[in-house]
Amino acid sequence: QVQLVESGGGLVQAGGSLRLSCAASGRTFSSYAMGWFRQAPGKEREFVAAISWSGGSTYYGDSVKGRFTISRDNAKNTVYLQMNSLKPEDTAVYYCAAREGGNYYYTGPYDYWGQGTQVTVSS
């Protein structure tokens, strides 16, 4: 079992940046592949980014590619999402997620989820 807590969300103007953090506790963090997802009001949950347990492989959704960067620090049990050039359409609740598996990135399914952090981008 792993518990996930996101932080770093907030209100930012279009073109700005935010860095989200997801702190994990419980079983060995470094054995988990991690992902970020988001859900805007009235929309389905959307895959944002994923990273392998070693951090050596990453993958991004088309809508964020080139603007967002996922990374992790296994010594700190934390995964990050650096978000640059934010757009109003990036407004959503952002969730981090964890799953066991091989040293790959995964777009799904995930076993453990955080409570989410709100990101609002004003135009």
Side-chain angles (χ1 to χ4, degrees):
Q1 188 92 11
V2 62
Q3 292 79 42
L4 304 171
V5 179
E6 303 95 337
S7 62
L11 174 64
V12 64
Q13 288 189 330
S17 298
L18 280 175
R19 188 176 82 155
L20 305 183
S21 299
C22 174
S25 60
R27 295 182 60 186
T28 307
F29 173 73
S30 59
S31 67
Y32 285 85
M34 301 296 295
W36 284 98
F37 293 77
R38 66 187 183 186
Q39 188 164 21
K43 295 188 177 181
E44 293 189 353
R45 188 169 61 198
E46 175 188 14
F47 168 77
V48 174
I51 189 166
S52 61
W53 59 253
S54 71
S57 296
T58 59
Y59 186 72
Y60 298 90
D62 288 341
S63 61
V64 306
K65 204 171 296 183
R67 299 187 298 122
F68 290 11
T69 302
I70 189 171
S71 62
R72 67 190 295 161
D73 185 338
N74 287 342
K76 295 183 178 179
N77 286 5
T78 302
V79 63
Y80 304 97
L81 184 69
Q82 178 66 43
M83 306 186 294
N84 298 329
S85 301
L86 282 161
K87 305 175 181 180
E89 51 263 45
D90 294 317
T91 295
V93 177
Y94 283 72
Y95 299 90
C96 72
R99 61 164 288 166
E100 293 181 290
N103 191 17
Y104 309 114
Y105 57 76
Y106 296 89
T107 59
Y110 281 78
D111 301 311
Y112 306 102
W113 294 83
Q115 293 300 305
T117 186
Q118 176 71 46
V119 172
T120 303
V121 184
S122 63
S123 58

